Amino acid sequence: LAAHRKFRNFEYVLKLLEGRSQDVSISGKPILDEEGVFQGYYGTGRNITERKQAEKHLLESEERFRALYHQSPSGVCLEDYSRVKQRIDLLKEGGVSDFQSYFEEHDDELIDAVMDIILLDANDTLIKMLGAETFEEYKSYEDDFESWKDTNWRKFYISELSSMAAGGITFTDEFQDIKVGGEILEIRCTSRIVLGREDDWSEVITTHEDITARKRAERQLLLQ
């Protein structure tokens, strides 16, 4: 305003009578006389109170979701499988129909498929469950195929990808996993293609439940 320049979508709170207020957005252009001397502004103003309230409610909702997400008793991660879907579609075009047998016999294809998975996010519970300190440390551990190719994760991915290739939306398995520090834990792992992403697998949510205590109790009962 001091520079007498035009402005656009300037937002502020307009004080009204009886302590009321509303959010407004204004845009204006300077008025100059024939000699170029500034005379004032003309422009438009819009009541954006409803929009600002909706943005506030959305932000509060997102904050609540993030709190629930990170404080969930189950480990949760979000991954992008879209490149895996493209790879499987190409294999189908090439005549592959039994992906369980195919991935068991073509370890290089399995490795490439798993490496195509993009980790988008992981909650605090999962990061701590796997013995990592930060998301970056957890991601680095998960990206290291050498750390899990000889574990039950190999079997999990073969069955999971085979299920998804056959049209499955959800896959669940229980097996032993290895923490960052080498400690063994038992987990129940469930992956699910997000509703609306069935055509491209761009969002897959996987939950990890630590069932180590339960498995230990089951083994003790068998020994009795």
Side-chain angles (χ1 to χ4, degrees):
L1 297 180
H4 301 161
R5 295 173 181 169
K6 65 179 179 180
F7 58 91
R8 187 174 183 179
N9 298 329
F10 176 74
E11 298 181 4
Y12 72 103
V13 178
L14 178 64
K15 301 297 182 181
L16 304 176
L17 298 176
E18 300 176 354
R20 295 181 297 115
S21 63
Q22 69 181 27
D23 293 284
V24 297
S25 173
I26 60 173
S27 301
K29 295 182 178 180
I31 301 174
L32 306 177
D33 61 17
E34 296 179 354
E35 298 179 355
V37 178
F38 175 75
Q39 299 297 311
Y41 277 96
Y42 72 92
T44 59
R46 294 183 296 119
N47 185 343
I48 59 171
T49 304
E50 290 187 2
R51 192 198 81 193
K52 298 297 285 188
Q53 289 177 343
E55 291 175 351
K56 178 183 177 182
H57 293 326
L58 178 60
L59 179 61
E60 292 174 345
S61 177
E62 290 175 344
E63 289 176 346
R64 286 194 297 270
F65 171 79
R66 295 299 296 181
L68 290 171
Y69 172 70
H70 283 291
Q71 295 174 23
S72 168
S74 297
V76 184
C77 67
L78 177 64
E79 297 168 300
D80 180 351
Y81 276 54
S82 58
R83 291 168 59 185
V84 182
K85 174 69 163 57
Q86 294 169 8
R87 179 182 295 276
I88 286 179
D89 287 344
L90 287 174
L91 290 172
K92 286 183 177 180
E93 292 176 6
V96 178
S97 58
D98 184 354
F99 282 89
Q100 182 79 27
S101 298
Y102 181 82
F103 283 130
E104 287 176 351
E105 297 171 2
H106 297 80
D107 206 50
D108 56 335
E109 287 285 355
L110 174 64
I111 295 173
D112 289 341
V114 174
M115 292 297 99
D116 280 342
I117 299 173
I118 301 173
L119 177 64
L120 302 175
D121 197 10
N123 71 351
D124 293 342
T125 304
L126 180 58
I127 293 172
K128 294 177 181 178
M129 183 186 300
L130 270 296
E133 295 293 332
T134 65
F135 173 77
E136 290 71 21
E137 183 183 8
Y138 168 77
K139 185 176 185 303
S140 176
Y141 180 68
E142 289 297 303
D143 287 344
D144 182 10
F145 183 76
E146 293 299 323
S147 69
W148 60 260
K149 72 174 184 178
D150 294 324
T151 69
N152 290 311
W153 275 109
R154 181 180 183 279
K155 174 178 172 291
F156 174 86
Y157 280 123
I158 290 176
S159 298
E160 178 203 43
L161 297 183
S162 299
S163 174
M164 294 170 70
I169 302 299
T170 303
F171 177 77
T172 301
D173 195 9
E174 296 181 359
F175 54 91
Q176 285 189 342
D177 196 8
I178 303 175
K179 292 185 178 183
V180 172
E183 182 182 350
I184 300 294
L185 76 159
E186 305 263 4
I187 63 171
R188 176 181 174 85
C189 194
T190 300
S191 59
R192 179 179 179 82
I193 301 174
V194 173
L195 183 65
R197 304 296 186 183
E198 298 91 345
D199 291 337
D200 62 11
W201 303 359
S202 59
E203 290 184 334
V204 175
I205 291 179
T206 304
T207 59
H208 303 67
E209 180 186 356
D210 186 345
I211 59 172
T212 306
R214 192 196 82 191
K215 287 293 188 178
R216 184 183 301 115
E218 289 175 356
R219 287 192 291 270
Q220 289 176 346
L221 285 174
L222 290 174
L223 294 175
Q224 293 179 359

